[in-house]
C-alpha cells in the first residue's frame, strides 16, 4: 500500500504508454491519453503548485522565525508573492492590469538583467578556463572566438570569410559532436525509462517505508 | 512625472539593483533577488489558477457536472501530505500517476534520440563535409565507449572524437555568450534610451 501500489501504478500505466507508441488504436491515443490521462493530470497539477508555494512559504517563515542569516530579505520574497497574487486574483491577467505592470516593470527587467549579468561571469570563467593550456583548450577557444566574431561587424572587418568558417564549424564538427552526444543521451533516456518502468529505479518515491 | 516615466524608473531601479552585484553582493541585489523569486512564483500561481485550475478542474466539476473528476482531484490533494511525518507516503500516489508518462520516454527517446539521429547520419557520403560528419559521429560515440582501453590506433581515433567535441563545445559557448551579450545590450539600451533619453 505504501510503496508497492504506487510502483504498480507506474509500471502498469507506463507500459500502457509504451503500447500507445506501438499500437495506433483509439483505445490508447484517444481513450487512454485524451480522455483519461491528460484531464486527470491537469486536475492534479494545481495541487502540485500549492505544494510548491507551501514549501516556499514554510522555508521563508522558518528562516524569519529562526532569524537565520539574511532573514530580512525573506520578507521581500513573501511580500512579492503575496502582492503578485493579490494583483492577479484581484484584477486579472489582461494587459494594463497591475499584474502585467509588475511583470513588465519588475519581473521582466530583473530576470533579463540576471541573464545579462551572466555575460560578465561567462567571460571571466572563460578567461580562467580557456588560458590555452592544452591543444584541446586552444581548439575550444578558437571555435568560440570564430563563432562570436562572425556575429558582429568586427568579424567581417577582420575577414570576409569568417561567417562562412563559422557556419562550417556549426554545420560540420559541431553537428557531428552534437549527433554523437544526442545518440548517447537517447540511449541513456531509454535505459533510464526502462529502469523506472521495470521498478529498478525507485528514488522518485522518496525514502522511508 | 508621467505614469510611463514612473514605470521606467521602477524598471531602471530594479535593473541597477541586479547590476550592482557586479561590484559585490549587497543589500539591493539581495532584495531584488528575493523579490524576483516572489514575483515569479506569484505569477506562476496566478497563471496556473487561470490556465489550469479554472478550465480543467473548476469548470468541468462545477459547471459541466463531471463529478468523476473529483477522484483525480482527491489524488492530487494527496500531494499536500508531503509535509506530514506519518502520512507522507500518501503523496507517492499523485507522483506515481505523473511518473506513468515515463513510459512514453522509451519510444520517444528511441525515436528522437536514436532513430532520427542514425537516419541523419546514414546518408550517402557524397561530399567531404558529410564524410567528416560521419567520422566525427562515430569517433564521439567511441570516445564514450569505455569497455575497451583507449590505446593504440583505437585511442588515437577516440582522441579525434574529443577534438570534435571541443570544437562543438566552443561553438555552443560562443553562441551562449552572444545570446547573453544581446540581453546585456538590450538592458543598456533600455537604461540609456528609455530612461535617460540619450539615444534618439
Amino acid at each position: 500500500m505504501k510503496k508497492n501500489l504506487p510502483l504498480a501504478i507506474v509500471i502498469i500505466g507506463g507500459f500502457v504508454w509504451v503500447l500507445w507508441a506501438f499500437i495506433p488504436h483509439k483505445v490508447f491515443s484517444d481513450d487512454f491519453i485524451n480522455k483519461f490521462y491528460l484531464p486527470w493530470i491537469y486536475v492534479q497539477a494545481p495541487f502540485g503548485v500549492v505544494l510548491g508555494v507551501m514549501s516556499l512559504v514554510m522555508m521563508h517563515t522558518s528562516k524569519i522565525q529562526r532569524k537565520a542569516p539574511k532573514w530580512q530579505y525573506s520578507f521581500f520574497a513573501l511580500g512579492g508573492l503575496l502582492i503578485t497574487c493579490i494583483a492577479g486574483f484581484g484584477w486579472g491577467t489582461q494587459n494594463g492590469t497591475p499584474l502585467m505592470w509588475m511583470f513588465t516593470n519588475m519581473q521582466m527587467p530583473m530576470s533579463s538583467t540576471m541573464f545579462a549579468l551572466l555575460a560578465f561571469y561567462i567571460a571571466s570563467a572563460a578567461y580562467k578556463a580557456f588560458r590555452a593550456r592544452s591543444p584541446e583548450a586552444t581548439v575550444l577557444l578558437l571555435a568560440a572566438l570564430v563563432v562570436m566574431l562572425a556575429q558582429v561587424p568586427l568579424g567581417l572587418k577582420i575577414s570576409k570569410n569568417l561567417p562562412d568558417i563559422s557556419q562550417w564549424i556549426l554545420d560540420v564538427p559541431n553537428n557531428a559532436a552534437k549527433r554523437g552526444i544526442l545518440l548517447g543521451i537517447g540511449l541513456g533516456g531509454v535505459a533510464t525509462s526502462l529502469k523506472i518502468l521495470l521498478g529498478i529505479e525507485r528514488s522518485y518515491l522518496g525514502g522511508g517505508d | 512625472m508621467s505614469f510611463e516615466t514612473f514605470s521606467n524608473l521602477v524598471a531602471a531601479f530594479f535593473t541597477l539593483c541586479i547590476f550592482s552585484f557586479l561590484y559585490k553582493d549587497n543589500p539591493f541585489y539581495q532584495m531584488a533577488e528575493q523579490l524576483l523569486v516572489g514575483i515569479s512564483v506569484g505569477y506562476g500561481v496566478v497563471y496556473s489558477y487561470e490556465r489550469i485550475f479554472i478550465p480543467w478542474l473548476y469548470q468541468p466539476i462545477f459547471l459541466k457536472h463531471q463529478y468523476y473528476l473529483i477522484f483525480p482531484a482527491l489524488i492530487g490533494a494527496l500531494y499536500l501530505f508531503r509535509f506530514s511525518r506519518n502520512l507522507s507516503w500518501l503523496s507517492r500516489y499523485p507522483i506515481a500517476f505523473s511518473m506513468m508518462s515515463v513510459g512514453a520516454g522509451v519510444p520517444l527517446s528511441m525515436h528522437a534520440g536514436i532513430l532520427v539521429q542514425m537516419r541523419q547520419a546514414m546518408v550517402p557520403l557524397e561530399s567531404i563535409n558529410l564524410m567528416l560528419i560521419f567520422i566525427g559521429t562515430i569517433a564521439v560515440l567511441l570516445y564514450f565507449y569505455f569497455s575497451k582501453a583507449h590505446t593504440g590506433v583505437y585511442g588515437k581515433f577516440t582522441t579525434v572524437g574529443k577534438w570534435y567535441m571541443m570544437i562543438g563545445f566552443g561553438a555552443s559557448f560562443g553562441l551562449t555568450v552572444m545570446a547573453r551579450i544581446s540581453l546585456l545590450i538590450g538592458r543598456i539600451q533600455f537604461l540609456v534610451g528609455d530612461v535617460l533619453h540619450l539615444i534618439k
Side-chain angles (χ1 to χ4, degrees):
Chain A
M1 190 73 176
K2 286 184 177 179
K3 217 160 195 178
N4 290 340
L5 195 55
L7 204 59
I9 292 171
V10 174
I11 292 170
I12 295 166
F15 275 105
V16 177
W17 268 99
V18 176
L19 290 177
W20 157 79
F22 292 105
I23 304 172
H25 192 276
K26 81 175 219 12
V27 169
F28 297 111
S29 61
D30 197 39
D31 296 341
F32 175 71
I33 292 179
N34 291 333
K35 288 182 183 159
F36 167 68
Y37 191 77
L38 288 180
W40 281 45
I41 209 81
Y42 279 126
V43 165
Q44 291 175 24
F47 296 98
V49 175
V50 172
L51 179 74
V53 172
M54 277 173 72
S55 172
L56 184 84
V57 171
M58 283 165 71
M59 191 196 85
H60 280 290
T61 46
S62 125
K63 213 171 164 183
I64 292 168
Q65 279 170 351
R66 287 185 290 112
K67 294 216 176 347
K70 297 178 179 175
W71 61 276
Q72 299 91 336
Y73 300 107
S74 292
F75 284 113
F76 289 101
L78 294 174
L81 170 66
L82 187 69
I83 292 169
T84 315
C85 286
I86 291 170
F89 291 127
W91 288 272
T93 56
Q94 304 300 312
N95 276 336
T97 55
L99 180 83
M100 289 318 287
W101 184 87
M102 287 178 79
F103 178 77
T104 313
N105 297 296
M106 293 171 84
Q107 208 265 359
M108 203 267 289
M110 280 196 280
S111 56
S112 59
T113 311
M114 197 72 91
F115 279 106
L117 206 63
L118 288 179
F120 294 98
Y121 292 101
I122 282 181
S124 74
Y127 174 72
K128 286 172 193 161
F130 283 179
R131 272 181 298 179
R133 288 182 189 147
S134 63
E136 290 91 342
T138 313
V139 168
L140 199 147
L141 173 65
L142 283 175
L145 268 178
V146 169
V147 170
M148 284 191 279
L149 283 173
Q151 293 189 29
V152 290
L154 179 69
L156 266 179
K157 286 225 163 53
I158 295 169
S159 166
K160 281 181 183 169
N161 297 322
L162 213 56
D164 294 332
I165 297 170
S166 164
Q167 198 56 49
W168 181 83
I169 287 174
L170 290 171
D171 289 345
V172 180
N174 176 57
N175 196 4
K178 293 282 152 63
R179 186 166 289 157
I181 292 168
L182 270 174
L183 277 162
I185 291 171
L187 289 167
V190 172
T192 310
S193 302
L194 280 174
K195 274 174 78 177
I196 292 171
L197 278 187
L198 297 173
I200 300 165
E201 167 66 52
R202 302 174 182 195
S203 57
Y204 61 90
L205 290 173
D209 295 331
Chain B
M1 183 166 51
S2 70
F3 184 66
E4 192 187 344
T5 311
F6 170 72
S7 302
N8 280 343
L9 284 175
V10 170
F13 171 72
F14 286 114
T15 300
L16 291 173
C17 282
I18 300 284
F19 270 140
S20 68
F21 188 73
L22 285 171
Y23 170 60
K24 66 175 186 180
D25 200 0
N26 64 79
F28 286 103
Y29 174 77
Q30 293 280 342
M31 179 269 292
E33 187 189 39
Q34 293 297 329
L35 202 57
L36 175 62
V37 172
I39 292 174
S40 302
V41 174
Y43 190 75
V45 169
V46 172
Y47 265 83
S48 300
Y49 173 79
E50 197 168 87
R51 302 275 164 90
I52 304 173
F53 179 80
I54 293 292
W56 291 94
L57 205 152
Y58 177 78
Q59 286 177 348
I61 293 176
F62 294 101
L63 302 182
K64 296 177 187 166
H65 307 297
Q66 295 172 349
Y67 294 117
Y68 66 92
L69 286 174
I70 290 172
F71 186 63
L74 287 174
I75 296 177
L78 296 178
Y79 267 127
L80 306 180
F81 283 97
R82 196 75 193 162
F83 297 117
S84 161
R85 197 162 288 175
N86 297 325
L87 296 171
S88 68
W89 59 273
L90 282 169
S91 65
R92 287 174 185 157
Y93 284 91
I95 293 171
F97 196 83
S98 60
M99 286 299 285
M100 277 162 68
S101 58
V102 165
V106 177
L108 292 181
S109 293
M110 190 91 82
H111 178 76
I114 302 172
L115 297 178
V116 170
Q117 296 305 325
M118 281 174 71
R119 192 168 61 215
Q120 295 294 321
M122 291 181 193
V123 291
L125 304 177
E126 290 164 338
S127 67
I128 293 173
N129 280 347
L130 287 172
M131 280 176 70
L132 286 173
I133 293 173
F134 184 76
I135 291 167
T137 307
I138 302 293
V140 169
L141 278 174
L142 288 179
Y143 180 77
F144 289 107
Y145 182 71
F146 299 113
S147 298
K148 184 174 162 60
H150 291 192
T151 50
V153 178
Y154 178 73
K156 286 200 172 83
F157 188 63
T158 57
T159 310
V160 173
K162 187 164 75 177
W163 282 69
Y164 266 89
M165 279 191 291
M166 287 300 152
I167 298 172
F169 293 148
S172 301
F173 178 82
L175 291 175
T176 309
V177 170
M178 291 316 285
R180 303 284 188 236
I181 296 283
S182 301
L183 279 169
L184 183 62
I185 291 168
R187 295 322 300 158
I188 290 169
Q189 272 181 339
F190 167 74
L191 288 174
V192 179
D194 296 358
V195 179
L196 297 174
H197 301 291
L198 294 176
I199 301 175
K200 296 292 174 195

